[in-house]
Amino acid sequence: MLALLSSILVIHLFALMSPGPDFVFVTRTAIVESRARALLGVAGIVAGQIIWSGLSLLGLDILFQRFAGLQQIIAFAGGCYLLWMAFGILRSVWLTRGAKPSTFSSDAPASADKTEGVKHPFLYGFFTNLANPKALVYFGSIFSTFVTPDVGTTARIVLFVSMTVEAFLWFALVALLFGSGPLREGYRRIARAIDAVTGVLFAGFGAGLIVSAVRN
């Protein structure tokens, strides 16, 4: 059991460390807004992972294998959501052009929050994670490879909880590091550039999901 758990947690950690919408969202929120709001976003991301991993453990990823059109529909919807987020962020960059960099405050959100920034971190984190239906395939592949029929219910629950805790700890660490005073003080001077890069990355992720859905 220990060897199984260790193997899956190592694989999952590398997957979490891979740059993607979740990572970009957490770092942007921590730098431009605050640690507290970034941690709310982390809670939303973890809630999304709980749904994907839970569905995979229940074997519902088989639906994606049997009904390919379902994955395409969800991927297309997720891509549209990420594009919508990108539009909101880039719009805030356009609206704040020419504005002076805001002063740093550890207790107040960034000025971007007054425009089209992330107003509900938990919900944005939640839907950012759910926007990628490939997560269900990812969890399904892990569980189908490592979680054989002889693995009992208790072991499955321990695995489920461990992966959830690992995701929270990783993204919480990212939020705390990127939300540190010195980093935020320096990055807040280029907050618009951060938002611009974030918007472009989200647009890229969204467009990639839509293209993948259309091609498949």
Side-chain angles (χ1 to χ4, degrees), residues 29-49:
T29 305
I31 293 172
V32 179
E33 299 188 32
S34 69
R35 281 176 170 174
R37 291 175 66 81
L39 288 174
L40 283 175
V42 169
I45 289 172
V46 173
Q49 177 183 300

Side-chain angles (χ1 to χ4, degrees), residues 128-149:
T128 296
N129 186 271
L130 288 185
N132 187 3
K134 293 181 179 179
L136 184 57
V137 178
Y138 159 72
F139 284 112
S141 64
I142 287 182
F143 294 144
S144 63
T145 301
F146 293 94
V147 184
T148 55

Side-chain angles (χ1 to χ4, degrees), residues 18-125:
S18 177
D22 293 339
F23 182 84
V24 172
F25 169 77
V26 173
T27 54
R28 183 264 176 193
T29 305
I31 293 172
V32 179
E33 299 188 32
S34 69
R35 281 176 170 174
R37 291 175 66 81
L39 288 174
L40 283 175
V42 169
I45 289 172
V46 173
Q49 177 183 300
I50 288 175
I51 292 178
W52 287 130
S53 58
L55 290 176
S56 296
L57 276 176
L58 292 173
L60 295 186
D61 58 299
I62 297 175
L63 286 176
F64 275 13
Q65 299 174 17
R66 294 185 177 180
F67 303 99
L70 178 61
Q71 181 177 352
Q72 293 172 9
I73 292 173
I74 298 178
F76 186 85
C80 290
Y81 171 75
L82 292 178
L83 286 178
W84 175 75
M85 282 194 67
F87 171 77
I89 295 173
L90 292 174
R91 182 171 179 267
S92 72
V93 173
W94 174 258
L95 291 176
T96 57
R97 66 189 185 283
K100 295 181 179 180
S102 56
T103 56
F104 172 75
S105 173
S106 59
D107 301 319
S111 59
D113 187 49
K114 299 178 182 178
T115 56
E116 295 295 330
V118 177
K119 299 175 183 178
H120 306 285
F122 178 87
L123 292 178
Y124 274 84

